[in-house]
Amino acid sequence: EAKSGMKNRIGKTFPNGNRGVLFVGKAGAGKTKMMSKFFNGLGLGGCNQDGQVIGKWVTSTGASTGIGIYEVLEVYNDSIIFADELSLDTDKHVHVLKQIANGELIRPRHGNIESTPFSGLLIGATNSVKLPNNNRDLEHLLATLDRFMVVKTKVTAKSPEETMSAVLEDEQEAEPDWVEIAKALGRDTSTDLNNAEKDLLRNIWNEKAREILDPTRAQWRNSHAVLDIFLFCKRFFGCKDLTKDIDAVEFIREMISDCVMFNPVGILWLNPTEQVIYDCIKSKDVVSTSEIISSVTNVGISISRMTISRIINKMQESHLIIR
């Protein structure tokens, strides 16, 4: 929208930069395939009228050093960068990503700190986000994720038999109409909300806000994210009144559910014991320590009560659960 000079640009969270997109999901969820469809379908691999590169595809960003990521971002600082296989497990990678939305890359070079303006857009994918060992690192991670539109990529589980049948029959997905998608993305319509739409947005926000486990965290960016999604859908679908379109409303609810993150547990990689404990707690309003121990031992994990208590304390400190 910024590049096309659109007057009614959506997104006011980062006035001096862009909000990147980060796809998070297990291997095989289709993140690379989905990003590739966007990249090729919208013709981002070429150059614009001024000869500038529109988009850059980086195959394996996670294999790169922190400096290597900086160099890619600096060279293509005004482009749409598709970064596959990102890693958020190192401080350097996290700090690089944190700078992107602020519109300026800063790194030491030859004894001096030099800055490079970044007006591009980063669209990245990673298989998992590891839960840090201490709260200080967790705050850095959450601050980084706040600067991105984090999308939980989900895959419909198929049995081994169904998977093999799909492979043998070479099932093909229908190709989207990218011409129509491009038109919808550039539709120059008003992004003002009427009173009924504002009431709907408040209701959706209040439902989503029930997931908040840490009341001390500011929710300005998440509030803007919900508004941005709402406005984007209104523009994309060309609706004068979104409340009149039941399908659009359901799509918005699902999009907000998948893209607005109050509790990071949905995208974090938990070890097997943490996952069993979380699943046990999530399924009940109240759960006892004895029930948790039973759940862990029932899946074949041998662990002491003291260790389980330590894990629960860590998960509570990380605001994944309330004890």
Side-chain angles (χ1 to χ4, degrees):
E1 293 184 4
K3 299 298 183 189
S4 65
M6 194 174 288
K7 296 178 181 179
N8 300 316
R9 184 184 172 195
I10 296 170
K12 300 176 182 178
T13 313
F14 300 100
N16 299 321
N18 292 314
R19 186 167 196 159
V21 181
L22 183 64
F23 295 109
V24 181
K26 294 182 179 179
K31 300 183 298 298
T32 303
K33 183 178 180 181
M34 177 172 56
M35 288 169 60
S36 179
K37 278 180 175 277
F38 293 150
F39 189 83
N40 295 321
L42 293 173
L44 302 179
C47 296
N48 62 18
Q49 294 177 347
D50 299 325
Q52 295 175 319
V53 176
I54 299 173
K56 173 64 177 177
W57 183 277
V58 184
T59 303
S60 185
T61 321
S64 173
T65 62
I67 293 176
I69 295 177
Y70 268 119
E71 290 177 346
V72 170
L73 294 173
E74 288 172 349
V75 171
Y76 300 98
N77 63 75
D78 195 37
S79 303
I80 303 173
I81 302 173
F82 283 73
D84 202 9
E85 300 295 344
L86 270 173
S87 170
L88 274 72
D89 292 341
T90 66
D91 287 342
K92 287 184 178 180
H93 287 194
V94 169
H95 287 300
V96 172
L97 295 178
K98 192 186 291 186
Q99 294 176 30
I100 289 171
N102 295 329
E104 188 177 32
L105 303 172
I106 303 174
R107 68 174 172 124
R109 189 182 300 165
H110 309 303
N112 298 314
I113 296 179
E114 299 183 16
S115 64
T116 302
F118 184 82
S119 57
L121 179 68
L122 181 70
I123 300 176
T126 184
N127 290 338
S128 65
V129 180
K130 184 180 178 181
L131 179 63
N133 292 321
N134 60 67
N135 287 341
R136 180 184 63 83
D137 290 341
L138 178 64
E139 281 302 312
H140 279 304
L141 176 63
L142 293 178
T144 302
L145 295 175
D146 273 352
R147 286 163 165 77
F148 283 79
M149 186 68 78
V150 180
V151 183
K152 294 180 289 185
T153 53
K154 299 174 293 186
V155 60
T156 303
K158 288 186 176 182
S159 68
E161 294 80 9
E162 289 174 324
T163 303
M164 179 54 72
S165 295
V167 171
L168 292 175
E169 294 169 12
D170 193 23
E171 294 182 0
Q172 299 291 323
E173 295 180 2
E175 186 66 20
D177 187 337
W178 289 105
V179 173
E180 288 300 315
I181 290 174
K183 287 181 181 178
L185 287 172
R187 184 179 283 121
D188 190 12
T189 56
S190 172
T191 54
D192 295 331
L193 299 182
N194 60 41
N195 289 332
E197 290 172 325
K198 289 179 181 178
D199 289 340
L200 174 61
L201 188 147
R202 289 190 184 98
N203 290 335
I204 294 176
W205 169 260
N206 291 337
E207 291 173 14
K208 180 68 178 177
R210 295 174 63 187
E211 299 176 8
I212 297 174
L213 296 187
D214 183 3
T216 65
R217 291 191 68 82
Q219 298 298 337
W220 292 107
R221 287 173 181 161
N222 280 330
S223 298
H224 278 291
V226 170
L227 176 60
D228 289 347
I229 289 171
F230 206 90
L231 293 174
F232 170 79
C233 290
K234 182 171 183 177
R235 169 177 288 166
F236 190 83
F237 294 133
C239 298
K240 292 184 178 180
D241 186 347
L242 270 172
T243 63
K244 306 296 185 183
D245 191 326
I246 297 176
D247 291 333
V249 172
E250 286 305 307
F251 182 85
I252 290 171
R253 289 183 186 277
E254 185 173 350
M255 193 169 176
I256 289 174
S257 175
D258 289 343
C259 302
V260 178
M261 185 182 64
F262 292 127
N263 186 344
V265 72
I267 62 167
L268 291 174
W269 181 87
L270 303 179
N271 67 41
T273 305
E274 291 169 337
Q275 190 67 60
V276 172
I277 292 174
Y278 181 79
D279 290 341
C280 176
I281 293 173
K282 182 179 68 172
S283 63
K284 301 178 181 179
D285 291 331
V286 179
V287 63
S288 66
T289 306
S290 298
E291 289 177 291
I292 293 174
I293 293 174
S294 296
S295 296
V296 173
T297 55
N298 286 341
V299 297
I301 299 175
S302 179
I303 197 169
S304 68
R305 178 183 288 264
M306 184 180 298
T307 302
I308 287 180
S309 180
R310 178 174 54 78
I311 293 173
I312 292 174
N313 286 338
K314 177 187 174 185
M315 294 176 73
Q316 181 210 351
E317 291 171 359
S318 302
H319 299 292
L320 304 183
I321 61 173
I322 294 177
R323 192 173 189 181

